[in-house]
Amino acid sequence: QGCHTMRRVETSAKDAKGWQETIQVMIQDGAEIEESEIPVMVQYLTREHGPLPEGAGKQILLNTCTMCHNLQRIKNGRRSPEEWEETLLAMLNEGAPVSDEQFPVIHAYLSRHFGVD
């Protein structure tokens, strides 16, 4: 966090290759990271801030949901469409900045990609 805030990490959602490349760029820019630390960092970043399925709703999730929750929590929060609706309504009551137009988009995205198996 010496060069940037965690928000850049929280909204990136990269796979292992993407995080590996990002770390290499940070090293080139002067980050002091030991070679032996890189695999652990890539594993952590991929697990906690890893890739998301493409689709309408992805950017809403990254820009809004991650304001309070990390991706791991969202990905593990398997819910039915009805439960996602309840969760989203609760988040709106907590002040989540989701517009009326965004609500059905993020609801469909979460239900499709993070529904119950």
Side-chain angles (χ1 to χ4, degrees):
Q1 292 183 2
C3 298
H4 54 80
T5 66
M6 278 298 292
R7 195 75 186 126
R8 286 183 62 187
V9 173
E10 294 165 345
T11 59
S12 293
K14 297 177 183 181
D15 61 10
K17 182 180 179 206
W19 285 119
Q20 178 82 28
E21 292 169 355
T22 298
I23 291 168
Q24 292 303 323
V25 168
M26 291 187 330
I27 291 170
Q28 291 171 4
D29 289 344
E32 296 179 12
I33 301 170
E34 297 292 327
E35 193 71 29
S36 63
E37 297 173 322
I38 295 173
V40 174
M41 291 178 70
V42 169
Q43 183 182 27
Y44 169 80
L45 290 166
T46 304
R47 183 183 68 241
E48 296 296 323
H49 306 287
L52 290 171
E54 293 299 324
K58 177 180 176 179
Q59 289 306 312
I60 298 169
L61 187 153
L62 287 172
N63 293 323
T64 304
C65 302
T66 62
M67 292 171 73
C68 298
H69 309 290
N70 68 30
L71 290 180
Q72 188 66 12
R73 180 174 180 182
I74 297 165
K75 289 178 182 182
N76 290 338
R78 299 289 181 171
R79 293 173 169 80
S80 69
E82 296 79 18
E83 291 168 323
W84 275 120
E85 182 175 5
E86 289 175 17
T87 299
L88 289 168
L89 290 171
M91 295 302 100
L92 285 173
N93 287 333
E94 294 291 327
V98 175
S99 69
D100 291 343
E101 294 79 26
Q102 291 174 321
F103 189 93
V105 176
I106 188 62
H107 178 261
Y109 182 85
L110 291 168
S111 297
R112 181 179 319 115
H113 298 293
F114 306 107
V116 290
D117 295 331

